[in-house]
């Protein structure tokens, strides 16, 4: 299938008035139907980039094309929907219902069709109860859903989502991720700006990191990006005591950075290869006295134990969530896993004592 380029940026830089640099020499190309995450820490330039893609802001230098033409053409802008980072910037009608009708009516969609869309969106986002409320008197998360609803209501080809999960409770975050997946399935192009590494594998097939210096620092598949520990550190997307296993975050408060050769490799492999540095908690003399094999095994056991403790905690958390959702059987199954995992913890402790 021929890939159609729908957004093309070349050498794009942007400076705010007063000389504040927001983007430097950005090159980016997005194909139709692609989903891309723009990753970057606070102030790296993500929101500015989305404004430029939407044609709200003109770059100080460089070129932007959308759908093969000028991004500032009304027809190009009409095909894009931007979810603002700050929902208040997006909402201005008296009621949520009017808010959802505004975009389509402005674009000449017949009233009956616009109303049908608005109704569908209320249902889809689970916000039917907010229909007559003023968008200004909603919670941050509710506002965000309404703002997303206004994007959906104009049925754009390209969604530009600025930190869509921030301010959402865990369930709404999962729903948002599912919505992005559904948009993707429907052939939409989705560009999401975020610093939330947990979501990038679910919502995108490519990730671009903008560094603190406002330049593109790396570009790869989401799992490729998650494996680039040094770059994530440099971009201030993780801190030194954290690492990822295919999207699952671990923190090691008592120990320094972990290098993983291959994030998809099993723990044994990854850790075996990576830990050529000193032992975890035992003293030097003891370490020297141990055979090499024992030393390695001790480090591995330490890790297995540590990970297993964390996993046990996570099983319990998810069991609680399942319980709350009325999924009793699932909650019990997860609790059983936690129980087994506790047994494993005591076996690991026992093995550690033997070394
Ligand atoms: N209206 C503005 N005036 C001046 N500087 C701004 C303005 N908006 C953002 N900036 C600056 O531009 C840089 C990029 O900001 P932004 O695109 O909002 O980053 P991000 O969305 O990644 O947090 C930051 O250094 C920020 O302080
Ligand atoms: Mg921003």
């Amino acid at each position: 299938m021929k890939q159609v380029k729908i957004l093309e940026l070349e050498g794009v830089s942007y400076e705010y008035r007063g000389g504040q640099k927001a983007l430097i020499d950005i090159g980016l190309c997005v194909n139709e139907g692609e989903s891309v995450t723009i990753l970057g820490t606070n102030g790296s330039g993500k929101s500015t980039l989305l404004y430029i893609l939407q044609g709200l802001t003109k770059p100080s230098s460089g070129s932007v094309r959308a759908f093969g033409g000028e991004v500032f053409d009304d027809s190009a802008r009409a095909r894009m929907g931007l979810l603002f980072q700050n929902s208040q910037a997006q909402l201005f009608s008296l009621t949520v219902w009017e808010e959802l009708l505004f975009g389509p009516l402005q674009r000449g969609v017949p009233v009956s069709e616009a109303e049908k869309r608005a109704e569908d969106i209320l249902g889809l986002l689970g916000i039917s109860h907010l229909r007559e409320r003023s968008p200004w008197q909603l919670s941050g998360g509710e506002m965000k859903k309404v703002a997303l609803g206004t994007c959906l209501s104009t049925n754009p080809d390209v969604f530009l989502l600025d930190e869509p999960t921030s301010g959402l409770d865990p369930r709404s975050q999962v729903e948002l991720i599912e919505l992005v997946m559904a948009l993707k399935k429907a052939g939409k192009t989705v560009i999401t700006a975020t610093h939330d590494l947990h979501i990038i594998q679910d919502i995108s097939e490519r990730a671009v990191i903008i560094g603190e210096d406002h330049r593109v620092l790396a570009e790869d598949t989401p799992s490729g990006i998650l494996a680039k520990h040094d770059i994530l550190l440099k971009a201030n997307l993780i801190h030194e005591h954290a690492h990822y296993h295919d999207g699952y975050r671990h923190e090691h408060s008592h120990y320094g950075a972990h290098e993983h050769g291959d994030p998809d490799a099993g723990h044994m492999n990854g850790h075996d290869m990576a830990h050529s540095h000193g032992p975890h908690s035992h003293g030097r003399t003891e370490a020297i006295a141990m055979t090499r094999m024992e030393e390695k095994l001790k480090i591995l056991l330490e890790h297995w134990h540590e990970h297993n403790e964390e996993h046990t905690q996570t099983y319990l958390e998810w069991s609680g969530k399942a319980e709350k959702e009325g999924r009793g059987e699932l909650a019990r199954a997860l609790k059983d896993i936690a129980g087994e995992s506790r047994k494993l913890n005591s076996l690991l402790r026992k093995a550690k004592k033997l070394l």
Side-chain angles (χ1 to χ4, degrees):
M1 200 176 67
K2 190 174 175 296
Q3 291 194 322
V4 182
K5 284 183 194 167
I6 55 167
L7 288 166
E8 295 166 86
L9 267 72
E10 258 180 52
V12 164
S13 298
Y14 188 80
E15 258 181 41
Y16 281 94
R17 246 178 285 166
Q20 178 59 49
K21 287 192 185 340
L23 295 169
I24 299 177
D25 197 20
I26 303 289
L28 179 69
C29 186
V30 180
N31 292 320
E32 189 173 33
E34 218 188 348
S35 50
V36 179
T37 329
I38 309 293
L39 279 170
T41 193
N42 293 332
S44 56
K46 303 181 296 298
S47 296
T48 309
L49 179 59
L50 294 192
Y51 299 154
I52 287 176
L53 289 172
Q54 166 78 356
L56 288 174
T57 302
K58 221 178 172 141
S60 311
S61 57
S63 72
V64 191
R65 290 172 71 75
F67 310 104
E70 268 291 313
V71 73
F72 304 102
D73 288 351
D74 284 347
S75 64
R77 284 173 63 165
R79 293 177 67 180
M80 290 196 261
L82 170 64
L83 175 73
F84 282 79
Q85 180 173 355
N86 171 8
S87 307
Q88 287 186 356
Q90 192 138 14
L91 305 172
F92 47 81
S93 300
L94 285 176
T95 65
V96 168
W97 179 248
E98 285 173 39
E99 197 72 68
L100 295 176
L101 288 180
F102 180 83
L105 292 181
Q106 210 204 15
R107 284 169 165 76
V109 174
V111 177
S112 59
E113 163 66 16
E115 287 184 341
K116 187 180 174 311
R117 272 192 210 175
E119 202 66 67
D120 288 348
I121 288 166
L122 286 175
L124 178 73
L125 298 175
I127 52 172
S128 299
H129 59 293
L130 303 177
R131 175 201 288 260
E132 296 307 327
R133 296 274 300 276
S134 155
W136 290 90
Q137 289 163 359
L138 300 176
S139 76
E142 289 170 336
M143 247 189 232
K144 183 142 270 183
K145 288 185 191 175
V146 176
L148 182 61
T150 66
C151 292
L152 292 166
S153 72
T154 57
N155 193 22
D157 294 323
V158 182
F159 284 82
L160 304 168
L161 308 176
D162 200 349
E163 304 208 12
T165 50
S166 75
L168 294 184
D169 59 49
R171 191 178 62 206
S172 303
Q173 288 195 18
V174 172
E175 286 167 0
L176 188 278
I177 289 166
E178 284 169 352
L179 178 68
V180 172
M181 287 164 135
L183 291 174
K184 239 185 93 44
K185 236 182 173 168
K188 305 289 185 186
T189 307
V190 187
I191 300 174
T192 310
T194 186
H195 48 76
D196 186 353
L197 296 178
H198 292 98
I199 63 174
I200 68 172
Q201 285 178 307
D202 287 331
I203 64 163
S204 62
E205 55 218 21
R206 187 152 64 94
V208 178
I209 299 184
I210 304 182
E212 290 191 284
D213 63 355
H214 314 293
R215 296 171 185 272
V216 172
L217 190 58
E219 189 176 337
D220 203 341
T221 58
S223 55
I225 284 284
L226 291 175
K228 293 185 181 8
H229 188 91
D230 289 350
I231 289 177
L232 294 173
L233 261 181
K234 188 171 173 210
N236 192 28
L237 288 161
I238 54 171
H239 67 79
E240 207 163 353
H241 296 176
H243 65 196
Y244 277 81
H245 293 297
D246 235 359
Y248 179 75
R249 187 169 192 268
H250 287 270
E251 285 193 29
H252 293 258
S253 51
H254 66 286
Y255 204 68
H258 291 246
E259 308 267 318
H260 282 251
D262 171 8
D264 296 322
H267 283 184
M268 174 88 182
N269 259 339
H271 291 177
D272 196 18
M273 288 189 304
H275 291 276
S276 51
H277 53 58
H280 259 215
S281 55
H282 48 76
R284 268 235 151 258
T285 5
E286 211 183 331
I288 292 162
M290 272 200 283
T291 66
R292 244 187 101 57
M293 196 210 83
E294 270 196 310
E295 186 180 351
K296 260 191 184 170
L297 183 57
K298 179 149 188 165
I299 292 167
L300 283 171
L301 277 168
E302 189 75 53
H303 266 287
W304 294 336
H305 189 200
E306 190 179 356
H307 282 246
N308 203 54
E309 291 264 18
E310 286 180 43
H311 288 162
T312 312
Q313 206 47 46
T314 318
Y315 303 142
L316 286 173
E317 278 167 30
W318 280 96
S319 167
K321 282 181 201 172
E323 187 85 59
K324 266 199 200 132
E325 295 294 317
R327 307 279 304 271
E329 205 175 333
L330 180 62
R332 279 190 296 282
L334 289 165
K335 221 173 185 167
D336 287 346
I337 299 176
E340 291 301 315
S341 155
R342 276 215 192 93
K343 279 186 209 157
L344 188 56
N345 277 332
S346 82
L347 291 173
L348 287 164
R349 258 194 300 274
K350 190 168 156 191
K352 265 164 52 179
K353 278 195 190 135
L354 296 174
L355 287 174

